[in-house]
Amino acid sequence: MPTPLPRKHAAPLPRASLVNAAARGALVLGVDSGGSGLRVALGAADGGHPTSTAVCEEPVRTGAEGIDAGHLLDQLLPVTLRLLAEAGPGAAITAAAVGAAGMATLGGQLRARLPGALAETLGVRRVALAADAVTAYAGALGQRPGAVVAGGTGMIALGTDLTTWRRADGWGHLLGDSGGGAWIGRSGLDAALRAHDGRHGGSPALLARLQAVFGPAPDLPGLLYPRTDRPALLASFAPEVAACAADDEVAARILREAAAHIAEAAAAACPRSADSGGEPCEVALTGGLFKMGNPLLGRLRVELARQIPHARVVPAGGSPLQGSLEIARALARSDLRLPAHPTLLFVPGVT
């Protein structure tokens, strides 16, 4: 049986907001599933009303068969039913969009089970299942062409001309995510351990930060390797690299290399029409990685100008959760212009 979400984790708007939204028009459901938990939003399909939101703090499990659809539904359905009840009599969801980290490669269970479960329990017939990079794109740029770099623990760039998707990186911390938080953190820890050993390329400043954060350097492998959240632990050291970059050349070099990797992915994701003398490619940056501020962003602006001179960097319009609502609203009005895709943006009956 689904486990109800404790009320202390939810932050719904006053009931009157969604009662009015339900009375004036249909509701849509947006979901963002990532490493820090499951975020759920309910809002008016016309986009003219605020949303009611809740957070399930336990990340959805991933097993041998990919993302665990049962675990996601056990969290999603109870909180959604509660938000619907708080919206008042007659509230109904006409479209839903679920964005999930790993959807493209590990989302087989979700694609097989979620559409039927949402229809049976919530009466939702219009459903989109998206990779988190797609909801990040929709949140940042809406439904216009361009490219988005989503940087956090990992790193992926996604672009579209509204006909096809172009993806670059996002292959995980062992195979890629070059320039992402885990990559920066691991590079910083490597430099720290080189200093500990007396090897070339070491940074005494980063070694000092390693010891301050994690304890004695020889104890780090025993702390890191048994953890199931190794990428997040590596990424937690990235801000330390940024903090040292002003005075430490090794840390500065790591950020320069990270910026070059990120810009390279953005260049690969930009629609090719921008290369042929068309409109400049809009590039938006979204995700916690870019909260590191100027130590990374200053270097990244230089690399973007060098590698994609035809690009125009624009502010991200919203979050991945807002992107899932954008996709759900487009479904509700039969106006989804982002291209459907078997794994990146799965729309039953369309894909």
Side-chain angles (χ1 to χ4, degrees), residues 184-197 199 203-224 233-234 236-241 243-244:
I184 293 172
R186 187 205 175 281
S187 299
L189 291 170
D190 175 85
L193 292 173
R194 286 176 176 274
H196 175 270
D197 295 345
R199 290 180 287 150
S203 165
L206 290 173
L207 176 60
R209 295 314 305 152
L210 182 160
Q211 293 167 334
V213 174
F214 297 117
D219 294 345
L220 182 61
L223 173 66
L224 176 65
L233 190 67
L234 292 171
S236 71
F237 196 68
E240 303 296 336
V241 178
C244 291

Side-chain angles (χ1 to χ4, degrees), residues 77-246:
L77 293 179
V79 70
T80 304
L81 289 170
R82 178 170 59 74
L83 291 178
L84 268 175
E86 291 173 348
I93 300 171
T94 61
V98 179
M103 177 75 78
T105 52
L106 301 170
Q109 270 196 38
L110 300 186
R111 290 186 287 272
R113 291 188 55 188
L114 257 63
L118 295 177
E120 179 180 354
T121 306
L122 303 175
V124 183
R125 303 296 174 184
R126 298 184 179 187
V127 175
L129 304 180
D132 58 341
V134 171
T135 54
Y137 186 102
L141 291 180
Q143 296 202 87
R144 62 186 192 266
V148 168
V149 179
T153 297
M155 202 288 300
I156 185 171
L158 195 67
T160 183
D161 57 3
L162 303 187
T163 301
T164 59
W165 290 103
R166 300 181 64 88
R167 166 184 168 166
D169 213 334
W171 302 119
H173 76 290
L174 293 178
L175 299 175
D177 287 354
S178 300
W183 186 96
I184 293 172
R186 187 205 175 281
S187 299
L189 291 170
D190 175 85
L193 292 173
R194 286 176 176 274
H196 175 270
D197 295 345
R199 290 180 287 150
H200 176 73
S203 165
L206 290 173
L207 176 60
R209 295 314 305 152
L210 182 160
Q211 293 167 334
V213 174
F214 297 117
D219 294 345
L220 182 61
L223 173 66
L224 176 65
Y225 292 133
R227 298 275 291 259
T228 58
D229 61 344
R230 286 185 293 274
L233 190 67
L234 292 171
S236 71
F237 196 68
E240 303 296 336
V241 178
C244 291

Side-chain angles (χ1 to χ4, degrees), residues 294-321:
N294 196 60
L296 177 62
L297 287 176
R299 293 167 172 86
L300 180 54
R301 292 187 190 100
V302 171
E303 282 295 326
L304 288 170
R306 183 179 71 83
Q307 295 193 36
I308 330 175
H310 57 276
R312 182 172 68 247
V313 180
V314 299
S319 68
L321 181 59

Side-chain angles (χ1 to χ4, degrees), residues 24-76:
R24 294 167 62 99
L27 301 174
V28 295
L29 173 68
V31 181
D32 176 39
S33 175
S36 59
L38 190 73
R39 288 158 291 280
V40 183
L42 199 62
D46 62 11
H49 300 280
T51 58
S52 177
T53 61
V55 177
C56 308
E57 294 179 346
E58 182 180 0
V60 176
R61 293 190 294 263
T62 298
E65 298 183 5
I67 302 169
D68 189 332
H71 190 221
L72 186 149
L73 289 167
D74 283 351
Q75 297 187 73
L76 173 61

